[in-house]
Coordinates of all heavy atoms in Angstrom, one line a residue:
M143 N 0.9 -5.8 7.6 CA 1.9 -5.2 6.7 C 1.3 -4.8 5.3 O 1.7 -3.8 4.7 CB 3.1 -6.1 6.5 CG 4.2 -5.6 5.8 SD 5.7 -6.5 5.5 CE 5.9 -7.4 7.0
V144 N 0.4 -5.7 4.9 CA -0.2 -5.4 3.6 C -1.0 -4.2 3.6 O -1.1 -3.4 2.6 CB -1.0 -6.6 3.1 CG1 -1.7 -6.4 1.8 CG2 -0.1 -7.9 3.0
S145 N -1.7 -3.9 4.7 CA -2.5 -2.7 4.8 C -1.6 -1.4 4.8 O -2.0 -0.4 4.3 CB -3.4 -2.7 6.0 OG -2.6 -2.9 7.2
I146 N -0.4 -1.5 5.4 CA 0.5 -0.4 5.3 C 1.0 -0.2 3.9 O 1.1 1.0 3.5 CB 1.7 -0.7 6.3 CG1 1.3 -0.7 7.7 CG2 2.8 0.4 6.1 CD1 2.4 -1.2 8.7
I147 N 1.2 -1.2 3.1 CA 1.6 -1.1 1.7 C 0.5 -0.4 1.0 O 0.7 0.5 0.1 CB 1.9 -2.4 1.1 CG1 3.1 -3.1 1.8 CG2 2.1 -2.3 -0.4 CD1 3.4 -4.5 1.4
L148 N -0.7 -0.7 1.3 CA -1.9 -0.1 0.6 C -2.1 1.3 1.0 O -2.4 2.2 0.1 CB -3.1 -0.9 0.9 CG -4.4 -0.5 0.3 CD1 -4.4 -0.7 -1.2 CD2 -5.6 -1.3 0.9
F149 N -2.0 1.7 2.3 CA -2.4 3.0 2.7 C -1.3 4.0 2.9 O -1.5 5.2 3.0 CB -3.2 2.9 4.1 CG -4.5 2.2 3.9 CD1 -4.8 1.0 4.5 CD2 -5.5 2.8 3.2 CE1 -6.0 0.4 4.4 CE2 -6.7 2.3 3.0 CZ -7.0 1.1 3.6
A150 N 0.0 3.6 2.9 CA 1.1 4.5 3.1 C 1.2 5.5 1.9 O 1.3 6.7 2.1 CB 2.4 3.8 3.2
P151 N 1.1 5.1 0.6 CA 1.2 6.1 -0.4 C -0.1 7.0 -0.4 O 0.0 8.2 -0.8 CB 1.2 5.3 -1.7 CG 1.8 4.0 -1.3 CD 1.3 3.8 0.1
L152 N -1.2 6.5 -0.1 CA -2.4 7.3 0.0 C -2.3 8.3 1.1 O -2.7 9.5 0.9 CB -3.6 6.4 0.3 CG -5.0 7.1 0.4 CD1 -5.4 7.8 -0.9 CD2 -6.0 6.1 0.8
L153 N -1.8 7.9 2.2 CA -1.6 8.9 3.3 C -0.6 10.0 2.9 O -0.8 11.1 3.2 CB -1.1 8.1 4.6 CG -0.9 9.0 5.8 CD1 -2.1 9.6 6.3 CD2 -0.2 8.2 6.9
G154 N 0.5 9.6 2.2 CA 1.5 10.5 1.8 C 0.9 11.5 0.8 O 1.2 12.7 0.9
A155 N 0.0 11.1 -0.1 CA -0.6 12.0 -1.0 C -1.6 12.9 -0.4 O -1.6 14.1 -0.7 CB -1.3 11.2 -2.1
I156 N -2.3 12.4 0.6 CA -3.2 13.3 1.4 C -2.5 14.3 2.2 O -2.8 15.5 2.2 CB -4.2 12.4 2.2 CG1 -5.1 11.6 1.4 CG2 -4.9 13.3 3.3 CD1 -5.9 10.6 2.1
L157 N -1.4 13.9 2.9 CA -0.7 14.8 3.7 C 0.0 15.9 2.8 O 0.0 17.1 3.1 CB 0.4 14.1 4.5 CG -0.1 13.3 5.7 CD1 1.0 12.5 6.3 CD2 -0.8 14.2 6.7
A158 N 0.6 15.5 1.7 CA 1.3 16.4 0.8 C 0.3 17.3 0.1 O 0.6 18.5 -0.1 CB 2.1 15.7 -0.2
G159 N -0.9 16.8 -0.2 CA -1.8 17.6 -0.9 C -2.6 18.6 -0.1 O -2.9 19.8 -0.5
F160 N -2.9 18.3 1.2 CA -3.7 19.1 2.0 C -2.9 19.9 3.1 O -3.4 20.9 3.6 CB -4.8 18.3 2.7 CG -5.8 17.8 1.8 CD1 -6.1 16.5 1.7 CD2 -6.6 18.7 1.0 CE1 -7.1 16.0 0.8 CE2 -7.6 18.2 0.1 CZ -7.8 16.9 0.0
T161 N -1.7 19.5 3.4 CA -1.0 20.2 4.5 C 0.3 20.8 4.0 O 1.1 21.2 4.9 CB -0.7 19.2 5.6 OG1 0.2 18.2 5.2 CG2 -2.0 18.6 6.2
W162 N 0.6 20.9 2.7 CA 1.9 21.4 2.3 C 2.0 22.9 2.7 O 3.2 23.3 2.8 CB 2.1 21.2 0.8 CG 1.2 22.0 -0.1 CD1 -0.1 21.7 -0.5 CD2 1.5 23.3 -0.6 NE1 -0.6 22.7 -1.3 CE2 0.4 23.7 -1.4 CE3 2.6 24.2 -0.6 CZ2 0.3 24.9 -2.1 CZ3 2.5 25.4 -1.2 CH2 1.4 25.7 -2.0
K163 N 1.0 23.6 2.8 CA 1.1 25.0 3.2 C 1.5 25.1 4.7 O 2.2 26.1 5.1 CB -0.1 25.8 3.0 CG -0.3 26.1 1.5 CD -1.5 27.0 1.3 CE -1.6 27.3 -0.2 NZ -2.7 28.2 -0.5
L164 N 1.1 24.2 5.5 CA 1.4 24.2 6.9 C 2.8 23.7 7.2 O 3.5 24.2 8.0 CB 0.3 23.3 7.7 CG -1.1 23.8 7.7 CD1 -2.0 22.8 8.3 CD2 -1.2 25.1 8.4
I165 N 3.2 22.6 6.6 CA 4.4 22.0 6.9 C 5.6 22.4 5.9 O 6.7 22.1 6.2 CB 4.3 20.4 6.9 CG1 4.0 19.9 5.5 CG2 3.4 20.0 7.9 CD1 4.0 18.4 5.4
G166 N 5.2 23.1 4.9 CA 6.2 23.5 3.9 C 6.3 22.6 2.7 O 6.0 21.4 2.8
E167 N 6.7 23.1 1.6 CA 6.8 22.3 0.4 C 7.8 21.2 0.4 O 7.6 20.1 0.0 CB 7.0 23.3 -0.8 CG 6.9 22.6 -2.2 CD 7.0 23.6 -3.3 OE1 6.8 24.8 -3.1 OE2 7.3 23.1 -4.4
T168 N 9.0 21.6 1.0 CA 10.0 20.6 1.1 C 9.7 19.4 2.0 O 9.9 18.2 1.7 CB 11.3 21.2 1.6 OG1 11.6 22.3 0.7 CG2 12.5 20.3 1.6
A169 N 9.1 19.7 3.1 CA 8.6 18.7 4.1 C 7.6 17.8 3.5 O 7.6 16.6 3.7 CB 8.1 19.3 5.4
A170 N 6.7 18.4 2.7 CA 5.6 17.6 2.0 C 6.2 16.7 1.0 O 5.8 15.5 0.9 CB 4.6 18.5 1.4
Q171 N 7.2 17.1 0.3 CA 7.9 16.2 -0.7 C 8.6 15.1 0.1 O 8.6 13.9 -0.4 CB 8.9 17.0 -1.5 CG 8.3 18.0 -2.4 CD 9.3 19.0 -3.0 OE1 10.5 18.9 -2.7 NE2 8.9 19.9 -3.9
W172 N 9.3 15.4 1.2 CA 10.0 14.3 1.9 C 9.0 13.3 2.5 O 9.3 12.1 2.5 CB 10.9 14.9 3.0 CG 12.2 15.4 2.5 CD1 12.5 16.7 2.2 CD2 13.3 14.6 2.1 NE1 13.8 16.8 1.7 CE2 14.3 15.5 1.7 CE3 13.5 13.3 2.2 CZ2 15.5 15.0 1.2 CZ3 14.8 12.8 1.8 CH2 15.8 13.7 1.3
V173 N 7.9 13.8 3.0 CA 6.9 12.9 3.6 C 6.3 12.0 2.6 O 6.2 10.7 2.8 CB 5.8 13.7 4.4 CG1 4.6 12.8 4.7 CG2 6.3 14.4 5.6
S174 N 5.9 12.5 1.5 CA 5.3 11.7 0.4 C 6.3 10.7 -0.2 O 6.0 9.5 -0.4 CB 4.7 12.5 -0.7 OG 5.7 13.3 -1.3
T175 N 7.5 11.1 -0.3 CA 8.6 10.2 -0.9 C 8.9 9.1 0.1 O 9.1 8.0 -0.2 CB 9.8 11.0 -1.2 OG1 9.5 12.1 -2.2 CG2 10.9 10.2 -1.8
A176 N 9.0 9.5 1.4 CA 9.3 8.5 2.4 C 8.2 7.5 2.6 O 8.5 6.3 2.7 CB 9.6 9.2 3.8
L177 N 7.0 7.9 2.5 CA 5.9 6.9 2.7 C 5.8 6.0 1.4 O 5.5 4.8 1.5 CB 4.6 7.6 2.9 CG 4.4 8.2 4.3 CD1 3.2 9.0 4.4 CD2 4.5 7.1 5.4
L178 N 6.1 6.5 0.2 CA 6.2 5.7 -0.9 C 7.3 4.7 -0.9 O 7.1 3.5 -1.3 CB 6.3 6.6 -2.2 CG 6.1 5.9 -3.5 CD1 4.8 5.1 -3.6 CD2 6.3 6.9 -4.7
F179 N 8.5 5.1 -0.4 CA 9.6 4.2 -0.3 C 9.4 3.2 0.8 O 9.8 2.0 0.7 CB 10.9 4.9 -0.1 CG 11.6 5.3 -1.4 CD1 11.4 6.6 -1.9 CD2 12.4 4.4 -2.0 CE1 12.0 6.9 -3.1 CE2 13.0 4.8 -3.2 CZ 12.8 6.0 -3.8
L180 N 8.6 3.5 1.8 CA 8.2 2.6 2.9 C 7.4 1.5 2.3 O 7.6 0.3 2.5 CB 7.5 3.3 4.0 CG 6.9 2.4 5.1 CD1 8.0 1.7 5.9 CD2 5.9 3.1 6.0
A181 N 6.4 1.9 1.4 CA 5.6 0.9 0.8 C 6.4 0.0 -0.2 O 6.2 -1.2 -0.2 CB 4.4 1.6 0.0
C182 N 7.4 0.6 -0.8 CA 8.2 -0.2 -1.7 C 9.1 -1.2 -0.9 O 9.2 -2.4 -1.3 CB 9.1 0.7 -2.5 SG 10.2 -0.1 -3.7
L183 N 9.6 -0.8 0.2 CA 10.4 -1.6 1.0 C 9.6 -2.8 1.6 O 10.0 -4.0 1.6 CB 11.1 -0.8 2.2 CG 11.9 -1.7 3.2 CD1 13.2 -2.2 2.5 CD2 12.2 -0.8 4.4
L184 N 8.4 -2.5 2.1 CA 7.6 -3.5 2.6 C 7.1 -4.5 1.5 O 6.9 -5.7 1.8 CB 6.4 -2.9 3.3 CG 6.7 -2.2 4.6 CD1 5.4 -1.5 5.2 CD2 7.4 -3.0 5.6
S185 N 6.9 -4.0 0.3 CA 6.5 -4.9 -0.8 C 7.6 -5.9 -1.1 O 7.4 -7.0 -1.4 CB 6.2 -4.0 -2.1 OG 5.1 -3.2 -1.9
W186 N 8.9 -5.4 -1.1 CA 10.0 -6.3 -1.3 C 10.1 -7.3 -0.2 O 10.4 -8.5 -0.4 CB 11.3 -5.5 -1.4 CG 11.5 -5.0 -2.8 CD1 11.3 -3.8 -3.3 CD2 12.0 -5.8 -3.9 NE1 11.5 -3.7 -4.6 CE2 12.0 -4.9 -5.0 CE3 12.4 -7.1 -4.1 CZ2 12.4 -5.4 -6.3 CZ3 12.8 -7.5 -5.3 CH2 12.8 -6.7 -6.4
I187 N 9.8 -6.9 1.1 CA 9.8 -7.8 2.2 C 8.8 -8.9 2.1 O 9.0 -10.1 2.3 CB 9.7 -7.1 3.5 CG1 11.0 -6.3 3.8 CG2 9.4 -8.0 4.7 CD1 10.9 -5.3 5.0
V188 N 7.6 -8.5 1.6 CA 6.5 -9.4 1.4 C 6.9 -10.4 0.3 O 6.6 -11.6 0.4 CB 5.2 -8.7 1.1 CG1 4.1 -9.6 0.5 CG2 4.6 -8.0 2.3
F189 N 7.4 -9.9 -0.8 CA 7.8 -10.7 -1.9 C 8.9 -11.7 -1.5 O 8.8 -12.9 -1.9 CB 8.3 -9.9 -3.1 CG 8.8 -10.6 -4.3 CD1 8.0 -11.4 -5.1 CD2 10.2 -10.7 -4.5 CE1 8.5 -12.1 -6.1 CE2 10.7 -11.4 -5.6 CZ 9.8 -12.1 -6.4
L190 N 9.9 -11.3 -0.9 CA 11.0 -12.2 -0.5 C 10.7 -13.2 0.6 O 11.2 -14.3 0.6 CB 12.3 -11.4 -0.1 CG 12.9 -10.5 -1.2 CD1 14.0 -9.6 -0.7 CD2 13.4 -11.4 -2.3
G191 N 9.7 -12.8 1.4 CA 9.3 -13.7 2.5 C 8.1 -14.6 2.1 O 7.5 -15.3 2.9
F192 N 7.6 -14.5 0.8 CA 6.4 -15.2 0.4 C 6.7 -16.6 0.3 O 7.6 -17.1 -0.3 CB 5.9 -14.6 -0.9 CG 4.5 -15.1 -1.3 CD1 3.4 -14.8 -0.6 CD2 4.4 -16.0 -2.4 CE1 2.2 -15.2 -1.0 CE2 3.2 -16.4 -2.8 CZ 2.1 -16.1 -2.1
D193 N 5.8 -17.5 0.9 CA 6.0 -18.9 1.0 C 5.2 -19.7 -0.1 O 5.3 -20.9 -0.1 CB 5.7 -19.5 2.3 CG 4.3 -19.2 2.8 OD1 3.6 -18.5 2.1 OD2 3.9 -19.7 3.8
G194 N 4.4 -19.0 -0.9 CA 3.7 -19.6 -2.0 C 2.3 -20.0 -1.6 O 1.5 -20.5 -2.4
E195 N 1.9 -19.7 -0.4 CA 0.5 -20.0 0.1 C -0.4 -18.8 -0.1 O 0.0 -17.7 0.3 CB 0.5 -20.4 1.6 CG -0.8 -20.9 2.1 CD -0.7 -21.3 3.6 OE1 0.4 -21.8 3.9 OE2 -1.6 -21.0 4.3
T196 N -1.5 -19.0 -0.7 CA -2.5 -17.9 -1.0 C -3.1 -17.5 0.4 O -3.6 -18.4 1.1 CB -3.5 -18.3 -2.0 OG1 -2.9 -18.7 -3.2 CG2 -4.5 -17.2 -2.2
Q197 N -3.1 -16.2 0.6 CA -3.7 -15.7 1.8 C -4.8 -14.7 1.5 O -4.7 -14.0 0.5 CB -2.6 -14.9 2.7 CG -1.4 -15.8 3.1 CD -0.3 -14.9 3.7 OE1 -0.5 -13.7 3.8 NE2 0.7 -15.6 4.1
Q198 N -5.7 -14.6 2.4 CA -6.8 -13.6 2.3 C -6.6 -12.6 3.4 O -6.8 -13.0 4.6 CB -8.2 -14.2 2.3 CG -9.3 -13.4 2.0 CD -9.5 -13.3 0.5 OE1 -8.9 -14.0 -0.3 NE2 -10.4 -12.4 0.1
V199 N -6.2 -11.4 3.1 CA -6.0 -10.4 4.2 C -7.2 -9.4 4.2 O -7.4 -8.7 3.3 CB -4.7 -9.6 3.9 CG1 -4.4 -8.5 4.9 CG2 -3.5 -10.5 3.7
Q200 N -7.9 -9.5 5.3 CA -9.1 -8.6 5.5 C -8.7 -7.2 5.9 O -8.0 -7.0 6.9 CB -10.1 -9.2 6.5 CG -11.3 -8.4 6.7 CD -12.3 -9.0 7.7 OE1 -12.0 -10.1 8.2 NE2 -13.3 -8.2 8.0
I201 N -9.1 -6.2 5.2 CA -8.9 -4.8 5.5 C -10.0 -4.2 6.3 O -9.8 -3.6 7.3 CB -8.7 -4.0 4.2 CG1 -7.6 -4.6 3.3 CG2 -8.4 -2.5 4.5 CD1 -6.2 -4.5 3.9
L202 N -11.3 -4.5 5.8 CA -12.4 -3.8 6.5 C -13.6 -4.7 6.2 O -13.8 -5.2 5.1 CB -12.6 -2.4 5.9 CG -13.7 -1.6 6.3 CD1 -13.5 -1.1 7.8 CD2 -13.8 -0.3 5.5
R203 N -14.5 -4.8 7.2 CA -15.8 -5.5 6.9 C -16.7 -4.5 6.4 O -16.9 -3.4 6.9 CB -16.4 -6.1 8.2 CG -17.7 -6.8 7.9 CD -18.1 -7.7 9.0 NE -17.2 -8.7 9.4 CZ -17.1 -9.9 8.8 NH1 -17.8 -10.1 7.7 NH2 -16.2 -10.8 9.2
W204 N -17.3 -4.8 5.2 CA -18.1 -3.8 4.5 C -19.6 -4.0 4.7 O -20.3 -3.1 5.3 CB -17.8 -3.9 3.0 CG -18.3 -2.8 2.2 CD1 -18.4 -1.4 2.5 CD2 -18.9 -2.9 0.9 NE1 -19.0 -0.7 1.5 CE2 -19.3 -1.6 0.5 CE3 -19.1 -3.9 0.1 CZ2 -19.9 -1.3 -0.7 CZ3 -19.7 -3.6 -1.2 CH2 -20.1 -2.4 -1.5
I205 N -20.2 -5.1 4.2 CA -21.6 -5.3 4.4 C -21.8 -6.7 5.1 O -21.2 -7.7 4.7 CB -22.3 -5.4 3.0 CG1 -22.3 -4.0 2.4 CG2 -23.8 -5.8 3.2 CD1 -22.8 -4.0 0.9
E206 N -22.7 -6.7 6.0 CA -23.0 -8.0 6.7 C -24.5 -8.0 6.9 O -25.1 -7.2 7.7 CB -22.3 -8.1 8.0 CG -22.5 -9.5 8.6 CD -21.5 -9.7 9.8 OE1 -20.6 -8.9 10.0 OE2 -21.7 -10.7 10.5
S207 N -25.2 -8.8 6.1 CA -26.7 -8.9 6.2 C -27.1 -10.3 6.1 O -27.0 -10.9 5.1 CB -27.3 -8.1 5.1 OG -28.7 -8.2 5.1
G208 N -27.6 -10.9 7.2 CA -28.0 -12.3 7.2 C -26.8 -13.2 7.0 O -25.8 -13.2 7.7
S209 N -26.9 -14.0 5.9 CA -25.8 -14.9 5.6 C -24.8 -14.3 4.6 O -23.8 -14.9 4.3 CB -26.3 -16.2 5.0 OG -27.0 -15.9 3.8
L210 N -25.1 -13.0 4.1 CA -24.2 -12.3 3.2 C -23.2 -11.6 4.0 O -23.5 -10.7 4.9 CB -25.0 -11.4 2.3 CG -24.1 -10.5 1.4 CD1 -23.5 -11.3 0.3 CD2 -25.0 -9.4 0.8
A211 N -21.9 -11.8 3.8 CA -20.8 -11.1 4.4 C -19.8 -10.7 3.3 O -19.2 -11.5 2.7 CB -20.1 -12.0 5.4
T212 N -19.7 -9.4 3.1 CA -18.9 -8.8 2.1 C -17.8 -8.0 2.8 O -18.0 -7.1 3.5 CB -19.6 -7.9 1.1 OG1 -20.8 -8.7 0.6 CG2 -18.8 -7.5 0.0
D213 N -16.5 -8.4 2.5 CA -15.4 -7.8 3.1 C -14.6 -7.1 2.1 O -14.6 -7.4 0.9 CB -14.5 -8.8 3.8 CG -15.2 -9.5 5.0 OD1 -16.1 -8.9 5.6 OD2 -14.8 -10.6 5.2
W214 N -13.9 -6.0 2.5 CA -12.9 -5.4 1.6 C -11.6 -6.1 2.0 O -11.0 -5.8 3.1 CB -12.8 -3.9 1.9 CG -11.9 -3.2 0.9 CD1 -11.5 -3.5 -0.3 CD2 -11.2 -2.0 1.2 NE1 -10.7 -2.6 -0.9 CE2 -10.4 -1.7 0.1 CE3 -11.1 -1.2 2.3 CZ2 -9.6 -0.6 0.0 CZ3 -10.3 0.0 2.2 CH2 -9.5 0.2 1.1
S215 N -11.1 -6.9 1.1 CA -9.9 -7.7 1.5 C -9.0 -7.8 0.3 O -9.4 -7.5 -0.9 CB -10.3 -9.1 2.0 OG -11.0 -9.8 1.0
I216 N -7.8 -8.3 0.5 CA -6.8 -8.4 -0.5 C -6.4 -9.9 -0.6 O -6.1 -10.5 0.5 CB -5.5 -7.6 -0.2 CG1 -5.9 -6.1 -0.3 CG2 -4.4 -7.9 -1.2 CD1 -4.8 -5.2 0.2
R217 N -6.4 -10.5 -1.8 CA -5.9 -11.8 -1.9 C -4.4 -11.8 -2.3 O -4.0 -11.2 -3.3 CB -6.7 -12.5 -3.1 CG -6.3 -13.9 -3.3 CD -7.0 -14.5 -4.4 NE -6.4 -15.8 -4.8 CZ -7.1 -16.8 -5.3 NH1 -8.4 -16.6 -5.6 NH2 -6.5 -17.9 -5.6
L218 N -3.6 -12.3 -1.4 CA -2.2 -12.3 -1.6 C -1.7 -13.6 -2.1 O -1.6 -14.6 -1.4 CB -1.5 -11.9 -0.2 CG 0.0 -11.7 -0.3 CD1 0.3 -10.5 -1.2 CD2 0.5 -11.4 1.1
D219 N -1.3 -13.6 -3.4 CA -0.8 -14.8 -4.0 C 0.5 -14.4 -4.7 O 1.0 -13.3 -4.5 CB -1.7 -15.5 -4.9 CG -2.3 -14.6 -6.0 OD1 -1.9 -13.4 -6.0 OD2 -3.1 -15.1 -6.8
R220 N 1.1 -15.3 -5.5 CA 2.4 -15.1 -6.1 C 2.3 -13.9 -7.1 O 3.2 -13.0 -7.1 CB 2.8 -16.3 -6.8 CG 4.2 -16.3 -7.4 CD 4.6 -17.6 -8.1 NE 4.2 -18.7 -7.3 CZ 5.1 -19.4 -6.5 NH1 6.3 -19.1 -6.5 NH2 4.7 -20.5 -5.8
L221 N 1.2 -13.8 -7.9 CA 1.1 -12.7 -8.8 C 0.9 -11.4 -8.1 O 1.5 -10.4 -8.5 CB -0.1 -13.0 -9.8 CG -0.4 -11.9 -10.8 CD1 0.8 -11.8 -11.8 CD2 -1.7 -12.2 -11.6
T222 N 0.2 -11.4 -7.0 CA 0.0 -10.1 -6.3 C 1.3 -9.7 -5.7 O 1.6 -8.5 -5.7 CB -1.0 -10.3 -5.1 OG1 -2.2 -10.9 -5.7 CG2 -1.3 -9.1 -4.4
A223 N 2.1 -10.6 -5.2 CA 3.4 -10.2 -4.6 C 4.3 -9.6 -5.7 O 5.0 -8.6 -5.5 CB 4.1 -11.4 -4.0
I224 N 4.3 -10.2 -6.9 CA 5.1 -9.7 -8.0 C 4.6 -8.3 -8.4 O 5.4 -7.4 -8.6 CB 5.1 -10.7 -9.2 CG1 5.9 -12.0 -8.8 CG2 5.7 -10.1 -10.4 CD1 5.7 -13.1 -9.8
M225 N 3.3 -8.1 -8.5 CA 2.8 -6.9 -8.9 C 3.0 -5.8 -7.9 O 3.2 -4.6 -8.2 CB 1.3 -7.0 -9.3 CG 1.0 -7.7 -10.5 SD 1.9 -7.1 -12.0 CE 1.2 -5.5 -12.2
L226 N 3.0 -6.2 -6.6 CA 3.4 -5.2 -5.6 C 4.7 -4.6 -5.8 O 4.9 -3.4 -5.7 CB 3.3 -5.9 -4.2 CG 1.9 -6.0 -3.5 CD1 2.0 -6.8 -2.3 CD2 1.3 -4.6 -3.2
I227 N 5.7 -5.5 -6.0 CA 7.1 -4.9 -6.2 C 7.2 -4.1 -7.5 O 7.9 -3.1 -7.5 CB 8.2 -6.0 -6.0 CG1 8.0 -7.0 -7.1 CG2 8.2 -6.6 -4.7 CD1 9.3 -7.9 -7.3
V228 N 6.6 -4.6 -8.5 CA 6.7 -3.9 -9.8 C 6.1 -2.5 -9.7 O 6.7 -1.5 -10.0 CB 6.0 -4.7 -10.9 CG1 5.8 -3.8 -12.2 CG2 6.8 -5.9 -11.3
V229 N 4.8 -2.4 -9.2 CA 4.2 -1.1 -9.1 C 4.8 -0.2 -8.1 O 5.1 1.0 -8.4 CB 2.7 -1.3 -8.7 CG1 2.0 0.0 -8.4 CG2 1.9 -2.0 -9.9
T230 N 5.2 -0.6 -6.9 CA 5.8 0.3 -5.9 C 7.2 0.7 -6.3 O 7.6 1.8 -6.1 CB 5.7 -0.3 -4.5 OG1 6.4 -1.6 -4.5 CG2 4.3 -0.5 -4.0
T231 N 8.0 -0.2 -6.9 CA 9.3 0.1 -7.3 C 9.3 1.1 -8.4 O 10.0 2.1 -8.4 CB 10.1 -1.1 -7.7 OG1 10.1 -2.0 -6.6 CG2 11.5 -0.8 -8.1
V232 N 8.5 0.9 -9.5 CA 8.4 1.8 -10.6 C 7.9 3.2 -10.1 O 8.4 4.3 -10.5 CB 7.6 1.3 -11.7 CG1 7.3 2.3 -12.8 CG2 8.3 0.1 -12.4
S233 N 6.9 3.2 -9.2 CA 6.3 4.4 -8.7 C 7.3 5.2 -7.9 O 7.4 6.4 -8.0 CB 5.1 4.1 -7.8 OG 4.1 3.5 -8.6
S234 N 8.1 4.5 -7.1 CA 9.2 5.2 -6.3 C 10.2 5.8 -7.2 O 10.7 6.9 -7.0 CB 9.8 4.2 -5.4 OG 8.9 3.6 -4.5
I235 N 10.6 5.1 -8.3 CA 11.7 5.6 -9.2 C 11.1 6.8 -9.9 O 11.8 7.8 -10.1 CB 12.1 4.5 -10.1 CG1 12.9 3.5 -9.4 CG2 13.0 5.1 -11.3 CD1 13.2 2.2 -10.2
V236 N 9.9 6.7 -10.4 CA 9.2 7.9 -11.1 C 9.1 9.0 -10.2 O 9.3 10.2 -10.5 CB 7.9 7.4 -11.7 CG1 7.1 8.6 -12.2 CG2 8.2 6.4 -12.9
H237 N 8.7 8.8 -8.9 CA 8.5 9.8 -7.9 C 9.8 10.6 -7.7 O 9.7 11.8 -7.5 CB 7.9 9.3 -6.6 CG 7.4 10.3 -5.7 ND1 6.2 10.9 -5.8 CD2 8.0 10.8 -4.6 CE1 6.1 11.7 -4.8 NE2 7.2 11.7 -4.0
V238 N 10.9 9.9 -7.6 CA 12.1 10.6 -7.3 C 12.5 11.4 -8.6 O 13.0 12.5 -8.6 CB 13.2 9.6 -6.9 CG1 14.6 10.2 -6.9 CG2 12.9 9.0 -5.6

């Protein structure tokens, strides 16, 4: 769910930016707005269902060499959950 929160607004921006001539301007606006509101809704679900335990959510394995393992991951704690709802809610309101 956290990866959807991360990538949904990015996907909406890419679709609206590169395919608006194919799908139309109104459809591009609806797609980008819907994906941003999806991220906002999922952020609220993560915040309200957060149990206070810090989690490490791995998105992608980046470098692995010998004993070095570097991942692209998100640390989900109380501050991250609060910032998720603040950023996505304000972004959704500004977008509309």
Side-chain angles (χ1 to χ4, degrees):
M143 185 179 323
V144 176
S145 59
I146 295 172
I147 295 170
L148 180 66
F149 290 116
L152 177 64
L153 179 64
I156 290 171
L157 287 174
F160 291 121
T161 64
W162 68 272
K163 287 188 179 182
L164 296 173
I165 64 175
E167 189 173 338
T168 305
Q171 292 171 357
W172 278 102
V173 166
S174 63
T175 304
L177 287 173
L178 187 58
F179 273 94
L180 173 68
C182 181
L183 176 70
L184 292 177
S185 296
W186 277 99
I187 291 171
V188 165
F189 174 72
L190 294 174
F192 188 68
D193 60 353
E195 183 179 326
T196 301
Q197 301 171 0
Q198 191 83 10
V199 180
Q200 181 181 354
I201 304 295
L202 179 69
R203 181 163 304 277
W204 189 42
I205 295 174
E206 189 170 349
S207 175
S209 63
L210 174 70
T212 306
D213 297 331
W214 184 30
S215 60
I216 297 173
R217 180 182 171 152
L218 186 61
D219 55 358
R220 188 178 315 258
L221 179 63
T222 306
I224 292 170
M225 290 306 295
L226 277 173
I227 62 166
V228 169
V229 170
T230 56
T231 302
V232 170
S233 297
S234 298
I235 292 170
V236 169
H237 190 78
V238 169

